[in-house]
Amino acid sequence: MRKVLIVGATSAIAESVAREFARREDRLFLVGRRPQALAAIADDLKLRGAPMVQFRVQDANDISAHAELIESASVAMGGLDTVLIAHGTLPDQAACAASVERTLAEYQTNALSQISLCTLIANRFESQGNGTLAVISSVAGDRGRQSNYVYGSAKAAVTAFTSGLRQRLHGKGVHVITIKPGFVDTPMTAAFDKRGPLWASADSVAKTIVRGMIAGKPVIYAPWFWWGIMQIIRNIPERIFRGLKL
Amino acid sequence: MPGAGSSWGRWPRHRHRTIALTNRYQRLVLDEPGTLLPYGNGRSYGDSCQNDGGFLLTTRGLDRYVAFDVDNGVIECEAGMLLEDVIEFALPRGWFLPVTPGTCFVTLGGAIANDVHGKNHHRLGTFGHHVLGFELLRSDGSERWCTPSENADWFAATIGGLGLTGLIRRLRLQLRRVPGPFLRGQSLRFGNLSGFFELSRDSDADYEYTVSWLDCTAKGRQRGRGVFMRANHAVAEGTTPGSGQWRVPFTSPLPLVNRLSLRLFNTLYYHRPAARRADAVWHYRPFFYPLDGVLEWNRIYGPRGFYQYQCVIPPATAPESLEEMLETIAVSGSGSFLGVLKMFGEQASPGLLSFARSGTTLALDFPNGGAPTLQLLESLDAITRKAGGAVYPAKDARMSATSFQQYFPRWKEFLRFIDPRFSSSFWRRVSQDPQGEAS
Ligand SMILES: Cc1cc2nc3c(=O)[nH]c(=O)nc-3n(C[C@H](O)[C@H](O)[C@H](O)COP(=O)(O)OP(=O)(O)OC[C@H]3O[C@@H](n4cnc5c(N)ncnc54)[C@H](O)[C@@H]3O)c2cc1C
Ligand SMILES: NC(=O)c1ccc[n+]([C@@H]2O[C@H](COP(=O)([O-])OP(=O)(O)OC[C@H]3O[C@@H](n4cnc5c(N)ncnc54)[C@H](OP(=O)(O)O)[C@@H]3O)[C@@H](O)[C@H]2O)c1
């Protein structure tokens, strides 16, 4: 039985992931900002098979609370061996371009808060000699594009940070996993037109994520075909790339 | 993603914007003008789940279990949950849906809003009979818990209320006990409609589930022939179907359903050995949901889609009216892939606009052949109206306001329960003044 902490547990992708763990009868500790939504999700997960579900209302940007948050999850579940960090926002790129404050606030939510949590959890897992730390980054972090480079570069920080952690903890029983979803139909992308073959459901992405987490895969593209798409995008020479309307 | 917001008949096509609901505490944000309509899983065939030019409130994100009382079989969940998920949860615990339509890819909210029926109508009535209560959200932000005794008028208006009285967010359903996933019964051929009525009379007392398939392509002396199935939940040993599913991968550019393929299909179906079985054991999936094994089967009808026609004819006039319908269909030469025939029981339905009522129900689908198809359906309506029957809104994309208002005589009583911000393409059509109706 796993003991799973999920930060950003009201996210559509995170909730679908939690259902997969509940079905496997794992213990769950949920962190999010909206108490009613968290309570509804917790009740549901118990009925789906989770033997224990608790939640805690906490803004992920409250960095000073992170250490205590991790400890309380461990106390509640009688240990901690699996973590998913899922929270995030999709910034308004134009508004960010016009405001340093806004840009830095987005960095706080999409990079710094993750880095803080990862640092604390990695150290804890290192000393206990096991654990799986999975963080949702994005394919957007594979290359900065004019349409959303604030988001993309924050995700790039998460990708590079988790890559480094993975090397550091290799051979120490700790798996660090970078998750890179493509286009997923969730509230974050409510404003997008979702027709076309590139869009995936949160449920299908969650299945890929959980399979990868259990197998200890270092990097998970979800759906998998985004690996190919990003290979191409990453390899476009900068001279051509800078002129593209992406 | 498959086109969110379309209906199962793939016709007519509508344009609307969608608002995705993802949790049951979400308020309806209404700062833009335009009407709203809840949208379940789009398994209604026509335009009752469509709102041309307005908004669809998509409810599949409301799919959480809330509570389950295993001793009494009472389940509480959010309204966008599929029947499939309820079964998956309840069956291992010894419970099953009290009433189920012919597909399990239907949401609980949709099942209430059409007050759906199943093969056991003569025993357990409609879905609405088993709903213990639900929470209704209106566009003014008010919330009501409705049960047969609390807010009973809202309860009756919302069951079969076509999504017009507000958004159902959460509900409590009484399940029924079953010994396991299997059913046991018989499959029998009948040569004509009187054979069907005879079998129904003989079976309804001993079998909870009865339903027939009707060969609508048979002519002359073979007209009205079909296969009658009857069964009960049973302790039985059978094979569980694999979880594999087929998907029709794309919309066929031409309809695959034509006169020839229909005749062939119907003839083979009638003559296949399994059409007559003295002791049959079915797993619940092929028994209740024969078409669910082929995902998106509606695509075989091609880009123009198809119409479905389901009527109920009162007992007194059923035999002759159904004969007349079969005659009309045979003359028109446009057959039906699947004809389904069933006797409803006498229990009055709980909704003001519920479709199910005492009599015989016949369901057919027709590839959309344009004006001749519409003419054929209108002549079937003429027979239904004369017989004092009704047509099922869940399957309709074309009935006239005149027909609707005759079929659902309490529709005026219903008007005061409609949420002022809610509407549907179907409703705008059937609530017109019949005088002004375009012919
Ligand atoms: C293969 C097949 C077999 C079928 N067999 C049967 C059968 O045997 N018996 C039968 O009765 N029907 C049958 N049907 C019809 C089907 O059961 C109904 O159309 C059902 O209502 C569809 O539910 P849905 O969730 O897809 O809702 P939709 O089709 O999306 O919507 C149906 C109606 O429900 C309303 N609605 C949806 N959710 C809510 C909500 N949360 N609050 C308020 N209103 C809501 C919508 O506004 C709309 O008016 C069948 C359909 C198919 C495709
Ligand atoms: N959807 C996609 O196409 C896509 C693609 C690539 C990557 N991703 C990533 O996937 C992750 C999950 O997103 P999603 O698609 O599931 O969208 P979502 O449902 O909108 O989830 C985002 C979640 O982040 C939470 N959140 C935001 N700021 C927070 C904060 N300061 N503290 C705590 N929680 C906070 C939100 O909480 P509230 O409920 O309280 O608002 C929300 O639950 C995100 O990291 C996102 O960047 C998504």
Side-chain angles (χ1 to χ4, degrees):
Chain A
M1 187 197 354
R2 274 170 283 262
K3 293 153 190 155
V4 189
L5 162 66
I6 301 184
V7 183
T10 53
S11 121
I13 296 176
E15 185 176 1
S16 293
V17 167
R19 288 180 183 184
E20 291 294 315
F21 284 124
R23 204 160 56 80
R24 292 170 166 82
E25 303 187 5
D26 296 325
R27 292 186 186 168
L28 288 153
F29 191 90
L30 314 176
V31 178
R33 296 187 292 192
R34 289 179 291 131
Q36 280 182 320
L38 285 167
I41 293 169
D43 287 344
D44 175 73
L45 293 172
K46 280 181 217 153
L47 288 164
R48 285 176 195 269
M52 191 219 100
V53 188
Q54 282 190 27
F55 66 86
R56 172 175 167 133
V57 181
Q58 181 92 63
D59 191 311
N61 284 331
D62 190 353
I63 287 180
S64 62
H66 284 177
E68 209 263 303
L69 180 161
I70 295 163
E71 186 54 31
S72 67
S74 174
V75 168
M77 293 187 287
L80 179 67
D81 53 34
T82 308
V83 176
L84 176 71
I85 301 176
H87 66 278
T89 50
L90 189 59
D92 178 337
Q93 176 60 48
C96 286
S99 154
V100 172
E101 241 167 54
R102 215 155 156 170
T103 300
L104 296 184
E106 294 295 351
Y107 257 66
Q108 177 75 30
T109 308
N110 291 304
L112 300 182
S113 62
Q114 281 82 355
I115 288 172
S116 160
L117 286 163
C118 283
T119 302
L120 297 172
I121 291 159
N123 294 347
R124 185 184 186 99
F125 282 175
E126 183 177 28
S127 58
Q128 78 187 27
N130 68 61
T132 297
L133 167 60
V135 187
I136 306 190
S137 179
S138 170
V139 294
D142 281 11
R143 196 158 189 184
R145 290 166 300 122
Q146 59 176 323
S147 58
N148 74 343
Y149 61 87
V150 170
Y151 178 75
S153 58
K155 290 296 195 187
V158 171
T159 297
F161 191 89
T162 47
S163 164
L165 268 187
R166 183 159 45 245
Q167 280 194 329
R168 186 188 120 198
L169 298 175
H170 181 69
K172 298 189 171 157
V174 181
H175 295 287
V176 179
I177 300 176
T178 314
I179 300 164
K180 299 180 182 180
F183 296 161
V184 192
D185 181 6
T186 70
M188 181 173 278
T189 51
F192 292 67
D193 178 1
K194 291 179 177 155
R195 275 172 299 192
L198 292 181
W199 286 92
S201 70
D203 276 352
S204 75
V205 165
K207 287 201 168 73
T208 308
I209 291 175
V210 172
R211 239 182 287 123
M213 284 176 72
I214 290 172
K217 250 180 108 171
V219 179
I220 303 171
Y221 281 90
W224 61 271
F225 57 75
W226 282 94
W227 178 82
I229 296 176
M230 296 324 293
Q231 283 307 100
I232 295 167
I233 292 193
R234 268 206 299 230
N235 284 301
I236 299 173
E238 195 58 43
R239 240 183 316 161
I240 299 172
F241 194 76
R242 70 179 176 193
L244 299 180
K245 297 254 172 301
L246 280 177
Chain B
M1 310 272 317
S6 70
S7 87
W8 197 244
R10 304 179 62 83
W11 191 264
R13 297 287 173 78
H14 289 286
R15 268 165 312 164
H16 25 230
R17 286 165 292 172
T18 55
I19 299 173
L21 304 176
T22 54
N23 88 76
R24 64 174 179 272
Y25 301 105
Q26 204 170 331
R27 310 238 135 248
L28 297 176
V29 180
L30 308 166
D31 29 10
E32 278 184 74
T35 58
L36 313 171
L37 183 72
Y39 180 87
N41 206 33
R43 254 48 180 191
S44 299
Y45 286 73
D47 53 359
S48 62
C49 61
Q50 305 281 290
N51 187 19
D52 201 10
F55 291 93
L56 291 180
L57 303 170
T58 60
T59 58
R60 283 287 289 121
L62 304 179
D63 66 341
R64 293 173 195 91
Y65 301 104
V66 179
F68 182 64
D69 173 349
V70 68
D71 298 325
N72 299 305
V74 175
I75 191 166
E76 184 175 329
C77 26
E78 293 178 352
M81 178 162 274
L82 296 181
L83 298 187
E84 181 188 32
D85 299 322
V86 175
I87 296 172
E88 196 182 304
F89 181 84
L91 190 55
R93 296 166 169 87
W95 297 94
F96 198 76
L97 293 168
V99 165
T100 175
T103 170
C104 60
F105 303 136
V106 158
T107 63
L108 291 163
I112 295 179
N114 274 317
D115 194 16
V116 300
H117 56 268
K119 299 173 170 60
N120 61 353
H121 182 271
H122 60 283
R123 284 287 183 79
L124 293 187
T126 61
F127 193 82
H129 280 119
H130 308 276
V131 174
L132 301 173
F134 53 79
E135 185 184 71
L136 187 69
L137 175 72
R138 303 267 293 177
S139 64
D140 62 9
S142 63
E143 293 164 14
R144 283 181 184 76
W145 180 252
C146 310
T147 77
S149 54
E150 188 181 341
N151 290 313
D153 48 349
W154 289 95
F155 187 80
T158 301
I159 291 184
L162 301 167
L164 298 166
T165 63
L167 175 74
I168 303 163
R169 292 202 293 200
R170 180 170 64 93
L171 60 122
R172 211 171 282 153
L173 181 70
Q174 177 64 59
L175 301 171
R176 52 86 47 79
R177 275 264 180 227
V178 290
F182 293 102
L183 294 107
R184 173 166 235 148
Q186 292 173 329
S187 175
L188 310 150
R189 290 195 185 115
F190 54 87
N192 51 39
L193 283 179
S194 7
F196 161 78
F197 285 110
E198 224 164 275
L199 277 171
S200 285
R201 261 193 305 277
D202 291 351
S203 309
D204 283 0
D206 297 331
Y207 293 90
E208 172 172 347
Y209 299 99
T210 64
V211 70
S212 300
W213 158 83
L214 185 71
D215 180 354
C216 300
T217 58
K219 295 208 172 79
R221 287 196 26 230
Q222 291 174 336
R223 194 164 78 217
R225 73 178 181 182
V227 178
F228 192 99
M229 275 161 287
R230 53 191 194 189
N232 289 313
H233 290 285
V235 183
E237 291 290 320
T239 42
T240 303
S243 60
Q245 283 177 321
W246 295 87
R247 177 185 296 275
V248 178
F250 54 85
T251 306
S252 153
L254 289 173
L256 299 176
V257 182
N258 56 38
R259 213 180 285 198
L260 197 70
S261 65
L262 279 172
R263 240 189 119 64
L264 198 67
F265 171 83
N266 276 284
T267 305
L268 287 175
Y269 193 92
Y270 184 78
H271 286 294
R272 87 208 143 96
R276 213 163 64 198
R277 284 198 289 168
D279 181 18
V281 172
W282 288 276
H283 185 264
Y284 77 90
R285 261 187 277 157
F287 185 78
F288 289 122
Y289 315 119
L291 288 170
D292 285 355
V294 188
L295 296 176
E296 303 194 51
W297 57 263
N298 51 345
R299 291 177 164 181
I300 64 169
Y301 283 98
R304 298 177 73 185
F306 62 106
Y307 286 103
Q308 156 110 193
Y309 187 83
Q310 182 172 357
C311 60
V312 53
I313 308 288
T317 46
E320 62 200 78
S321 301
L322 292 173
E323 286 287 358
E324 201 182 335
M325 284 190 179
L326 293 188
E327 171 74 29
T328 308
I329 295 165
V331 168
S332 81
S334 103
S336 169
F337 191 50
L338 279 173
V340 178
L341 201 56
K342 145 122 202 112
M343 288 272 256
F344 280 154
E346 285 167 13
Q347 267 198 75
S349 294
L352 279 183
L353 297 187
S354 290
F355 161 72
R357 57 198 79 179
S358 175
T360 306
T361 184
L362 172 65
L364 308 159
D365 33 79
F366 300 97
N368 177 10
T373 312
L374 288 172
Q375 257 157 35
L376 169 64
L377 297 177
E378 184 49 39
S379 41
L380 297 181
D381 258 355
I383 300 170
T384 305
R385 281 195 305 264
K386 194 176 69 189
V391 166
Y392 194 7
K395 310 235 175 137
D396 178 74
R398 33 69 46 198
M399 77 168 99
S400 66
T402 311
S403 295
F404 176 80
Q405 293 169 21
Q406 181 190 322
Y407 298 152
F408 297 91
R410 299 181 74 181
W411 77 282
K412 284 216 160 126
E413 226 176 296
F414 175 73
L415 291 175
R416 75 178 178 91
F417 295 100
I418 298 178
D419 187 298
R421 278 300 292 272
F422 280 43
S423 184
S424 68
S425 296
F426 175 84
W427 189 252
R428 288 188 288 277
R429 178 161 56 80
V430 302
S431 61
Q432 298 174 48
D433 177 0
Q435 301 299 318
E437 197 169 17
S439 58

